[in-house]
Amino acid sequence: MNPMLGPNRLKLGTFASNADGGLSLTTVPERWTAAWDDCLAAARTADEAGLDFLLPIARWQGFGGATRAREWSFETLTWASALAAATSRIALFSTVHVPLVHPLFAAKALATIDHVSHGRAGLNIVCGWNPSEFGMFGMTLDDDGYARAAEWLDVIEKLYAADGPIDFDGRFYKLKQAITRPVALQRPRPVTMNAAFSPPGRDFAANACDQLFTTFTTIEEGKRHIADIATRAAAAGREVGVSTVCHVVCRPTDAEAEAYYEDYALTNADHDAVEQHMSSKQKFSGSHDDESYRLYRQRFAGGAGSFPLVGSPGTIARQMAEISQAGFSAIALSFVNYREELPYFCENVLPLLVEMGLREDVLAVEAA
Ligand SMILES: Cc1cc2nc3c(=O)[nH]c(=O)nc-3n(C[C@H](O)[C@H](O)[C@H](O)COP(=O)(O)O)c2cc1C
């Protein structure tokens, strides 16, 4: 079974380990370079510890600076397929830019991952926000990106549902006698979320996806996002989960964690890359409110503006419980160095979450 449909009340996974820096913009020597062997080792640690998912970021260009952060990133469908063959429990998302990938191709690629993984594939839909990335493809951003996304997903579902070749005559896509075999094992399609913040993005998730993947600035504000998406989903007669993203510094004491956070995300931030990332996101993406750009420069260097989980295992487990109580069903985590930091996190935070009733001890359940 896809662990995204499993019993854990708070699902956990990693985000962006396929890309240089992960979510951080820092010059510390241990920074993540996303070398394949490190991606694989981190994925196996997450899989063996019983985390629920691996979620890649979709990036085509970097943010410059001293490190040329994110310029290096593995393409996400092929990355997920490779990891599907190297893991046994964990869900494997692909993050796909709708306008850049034809739905017939996406349907086949996703079905491939679903078969390689025996039903553990996931789809994270992104409509794109960065005009210069689209410029690399000779394309401009859609004005009406979510209308395209709705049609794109509809094409995939129709291809999976059809017994034979289909014609599709839409506003964005016209398919003639199209067929894809094999179809995905998961029906009607692999677990799907939409990464967005804006009202149109939320409406698309509410109408067509299983999850919204979104950011929040304070836990109080997060609760308002949850209520808003619940209202939108109810209007569509549906229920939609909400996943979010946090960057993690977990150390034996709060003081050690805070000192390291200051070291990598303030003293040794890649300041030029932070500048470029913040200004382009502020200009072109609605993924954060204006206040968060003003207040949280450290959060952008630390984890692309996501919420920080910085402290001892106990502090982090308590904050995760608050995020869960606010209504989030999953948290995608980033680390400065996933391979070095995941083992400590898994050994020390996961048992606390089991004690709190937020997660099952997967390994004990399997042994029984
Ligand atoms: C949590 C989260 C993760 C995202 N991940 C990606 C990504 O991997 N690649 C990308 O190009 N955009 C990503 N985005 C950007 C969104 O896909 C979207 O283009 C952006 O938020 C602007 O659309 P919106 O105004 O509807 O939110 C992400 C957004 C959020 C909130």
Side-chain angles (χ1 to χ4, degrees), residues 39-56:
C39 289
L40 180 60
R44 285 189 165 138
T45 299
D47 188 43
E48 285 160 16
L51 292 192
D52 302 290
F53 63 93
L54 301 170
L55 173 61

Side-chain angles (χ1 to χ4, degrees), residues 15 57-59 95 97 126-129 146 195-198 213 285-287:
F15 184 40
I57 195 167
R59 274 281 66 81
T95 298
H97 276 112
V126 289
C127 288
W129 58 271
Y146 291 108
F197 191 83
S198 68
F213 181 38
S285 150
S287 64

